Structures are given as C-alpha cells and as structure tokens.
Amino acid sequence: MIVLGIETSCDETGVALYDSEKGLLADVLYSQVKMHAEYGGVVPELASRDHVRKLLPLIKEVMQRADLTANQVDAIAYTAGPGLIGALMVGASTGRSLAMAWGVPAIGVHHMEGHLLAPMLEENPPEFPFVALLVSGGHTQLVKVTAIGEYHLLGESLDDAAGEAFDKAAKMLGLDYPGGPLIARLAEQGDRTRFRFPRPMTDRPGLDFSFSGLKTFTLNTIAKHTQDGVLDQQTQADIAAAFEEAVVETLAIKCRRALQETGLKQLIIAGGVSANRRLRERLDAVVTKEKASLFYARPEFCTDNGAMIAYAGCQRLLAGQSSGLVIEAKPRWSMELLGSINDAVESVGEKA
C-alpha cells in the first residue's frame, strides 16, 4: 500500500509517500520559521495561509521525486489534530478532497501518534511494548505503549511543555525564535556547574512534569546578573547551560522512573526536543544503568514531518480503518481516545 501523508498542524508543511513494502519513497518539508521569527512565535492566521500557498506544490514535488502518478497512490493520511485549527483544516480538507478525487480512502492521523511512531522509520526500530517520552513545543508526556493505539498515559506536564519552556527561556536571554536549538548551541559554550537550577517535581513520587517554576527561576537569575541592562555573554551561556541541564535531567529522572515502574526495557523519545544532543546523551546513560535500549528518529523526523503521518496512517489503513467522508480537524485530541490497531472499527473519526 502506498500512502500520501500530509502534515499541517502548526508551522511546517510536510508531505511524504510511504510504501508498506518498500518503506519511505520520498518526503519534502517547508518550514515557516523565518516568517514567524519576526513575531517571536507562531501566528496562527499566517501559518494557515502559508499552508494554503505551499501544500499543493509540495504534493506535486513529492510525487515527482517518487516518480509516481495519482493512480498509483492507494490512500491519503493527514494530520487531524491536535494543532492549530486553521492549519489543520488546510491539510484535512486538501487530503479529504484529493482522496475523493482519486477514489481512495483517507484517514485522519493523531499528530502525537505520528511522532511516537517516527522511530519505526529507522533501520533498527523498537518492538512493542515500550515507554515513550513525547517531548515537543506543545507536549511533554510519558506513555506506556503496548501496541499501535494502545496507549496508557503515565505522566504529563501540568503547565508548559519542555519545548515551550525552551522557547520562553531563550526569549528571556534575548535569543530568536525558535529558541530550543539556540539555547542548546549557546549552552555548549557555558559552564554547567556555575548555576544550579531546580529539577521540578523530582523530589516527589509520580511521573508528571512542571516547568513554569523553572522559567521563573531563570528570569530571576537573569535579573540578578544583569548590570546596567546588559547580561555579559559568558553569563548568558552559563545560564543557558544550567537551564538545559535542569530540563534534561528532569526528563531523564522521570524516564528512569517510568522504566522502573513499568518493568519495560525499551525507551523511545520523539518530538522536536528529542533532537537535543544533551538529552540523548543523558538518556543513553539512563538506559545503560537500567540495562535497557534507547530509540529515536533521525533529526529531520524529530520535528513535524509528513513521513511520520504517512507511516502512522498506513498502519491504521492496513488494519481496515479509515475516516469515511468526514473532514477531521481536532485542535484538542487525547491520544488515549484512539482505538487500537487491533480493534475492528470501521472509522477512527466516527469513534472519536
């Protein structure tokens, strides 16, 4: 089965073609980062308009790269949520319309399920069951994964997601948007021992996260060391390093706790923050101590992309699921509401 995947949940337009027998055939991605950087964050209306402008040309491009025609595509998968409602509607309406025109089924895919399954696109994918850390600009969750669609939420952020905290800390330090990669780059020049930032909610049982207090601590530290309105470059780098270290260690402590509580020996990390080099190093140490294994996607598949949507959609389509004629767009959508890939359901959309 060849599936066309469409991702338009936020500020990246991703399109890919996935073959259930041959694997990923082609993928293309357009990022709106430069446009939104001017405003210090994503502007939903601008994001939606840019998806309208870019989506059809990208679909044509990915078809040309794979040397395929419309009659060779067996199904279409599009991101149905969660995300920005306007952006979601662009991908959903385009995907559903193309499916109708081409006479093939379509399915709305959960954005975070796409991220969770992205490591399956690698040469050495994990096997079920495993613990997944989903960590991005909008989500920080620990999930026990028994099979596709069989998800048990172990813990989540009670306020900001880790990626969002990175962006806000970067703004405090005078860095551009998106701040996560810039914090990581600046942290490489910093002294990680100069400042000791708190590791939120690690001194109590449970697997939930909270990063709002860490942001406040960062703001107070910046204010304390700013003289005449200026924060010197080395102190800026030291604060970035301390902030990154606090977030990474907090995530690592909770991941180790999740492995111990579930007894599982496989950990995957997915989402934009999973590309952070320091996080990968720290989790490598955790799985070594726990005699477990760590899995993650290649960097280009950590951020939003069409390949993960094509893959996730393909698995559900192969199981006989589809979304019927409905155009699905759900800005808020719990992953625990998804049906198992093993369930005999006619429509994910009708069940949700």
Side-chain angles (χ1 to χ4, degrees):
M1 174 181 282
I2 296 178
V3 179
L4 174 69
I6 297 172
E7 156 61 26
T8 62
S9 66
C10 189
D11 60 344
E12 283 154 331
T13 312
V15 184
L17 283 161
Y18 180 82
D19 188 321
S20 59
E21 295 182 358
K22 298 179 181 179
L24 187 63
L25 301 178
D27 72 283
V28 292
L29 181 71
Y30 172 76
S31 175
Q32 303 174 359
V33 164
K34 289 184 179 179
M35 177 178 68
H36 295 296
E38 180 181 350
Y39 303 95
V42 177
V43 181
E45 179 64 22
L46 295 181
S48 303
R49 293 182 183 186
D50 220 34
H51 287 308
V52 171
R53 185 168 63 92
K54 285 291 184 178
L55 183 53
L56 287 179
L58 288 177
I59 291 174
K60 292 178 181 178
E61 181 180 342
V62 82
M63 297 288 285
Q64 291 172 353
R65 288 192 183 188
D67 195 24
L68 293 178
T69 58
N71 59 12
Q72 292 174 286
V73 175
D74 298 304
I76 295 177
Y78 59 86
T79 300
L84 302 175
I85 184 60
L88 291 170
M89 283 299 298
V90 176
S93 57
T94 301
R96 178 62 263 178
S97 299
L98 283 177
M100 186 177 295
W102 295 350
V104 298
I107 189 166
V109 174
H110 193 289
H111 179 73
M112 296 310 295
E113 180 172 70
H115 274 303
L116 187 150
L117 297 177
M120 298 295 185
L121 293 165
E122 303 304 316
E123 292 184 2
N124 180 34
E127 296 181 358
F128 299 103
F130 53 77
V131 171
L133 171 66
L134 302 179
V135 57
S136 66
H139 298 81
T140 301
Q141 298 176 325
L142 275 168
V143 183
K144 179 181 178 181
V145 182
T146 306
I148 296 177
E150 296 181 18
Y151 308 127
H152 174 63
L153 183 64
L154 301 172
E156 62 183 339
S157 178
L158 303 179
D159 39 60
D160 289 351
E164 185 179 4
F166 265 108
D167 287 339
K168 291 180 178 178
K171 190 172 183 178
M172 295 175 198
L173 288 167
L175 304 177
D176 291 333
Y177 173 87
L182 298 180
I183 285 267
R185 197 175 308 152
L186 184 61
E188 292 178 358
Q189 306 166 28
D191 178 359
R192 297 181 184 274
T193 64
R194 179 179 174 187
F195 299 109
R196 169 74 182 182
F197 281 26
R199 277 57 171 161
M201 297 184 69
T202 57
D203 58 348
R204 67 190 76 175
L207 296 170
D208 287 330
F209 304 89
S210 173
F211 296 106
S212 60
L214 185 58
K215 290 187 308 176
T216 302
F217 192 94
T218 302
L219 183 62
N220 291 338
T221 304
I222 292 172
K224 183 178 179 180
H225 291 84
T226 298
Q227 296 182 349
D228 299 324
V230 177
L231 184 69
D232 69 81
Q233 292 184 349
Q234 187 57 54
T235 300
Q236 184 188 44
D238 294 344
I239 291 174
F243 177 84
E244 181 184 51
E245 198 71 8
V247 173
V248 164
E249 189 170 350
T250 297
L251 294 172
I253 289 170
K254 295 300 179 98
C255 283
R256 185 176 187 183
R257 194 176 292 176
L259 290 172
Q260 292 173 342
E261 291 185 8
T262 61
L264 298 177
K265 295 298 181 181
Q266 293 186 108
L267 172 67
I268 75 157
I269 52 172
V273 182
S274 69
N276 182 280
R277 181 184 61 81
R278 187 67 175 172
L279 178 60
R280 293 186 177 191
E281 290 176 353
R282 189 70 182 84
L283 290 179
D284 267 326
V286 167
V287 297
T288 298
K289 290 181 180 178
E290 295 299 318
K291 297 182 180 179
S293 301
L294 179 66
F295 300 86
Y296 42 76
R298 69 197 79 167
E300 58 265 36
F301 290 160
C302 291
T303 54
D304 296 349
N305 63 87
M308 68 183 191
I309 302 303
Y311 177 85
C314 183
Q315 305 314 304
R316 289 191 173 273
L317 288 157
L318 287 172
Q321 299 178 4
S322 68
S323 296
L325 294 176
V326 66
I327 295 177
E328 292 187 274
K330 306 174 184 178
R332 295 184 181 276
W333 189 9
S334 171
M335 202 163 62
E336 288 185 297
L337 296 177
L338 295 175
S340 169
I341 198 171
N342 299 316
D343 291 343
V345 294
E346 179 180 351
S347 168
V348 174
E350 294 172 359
K351 180 178 180 181

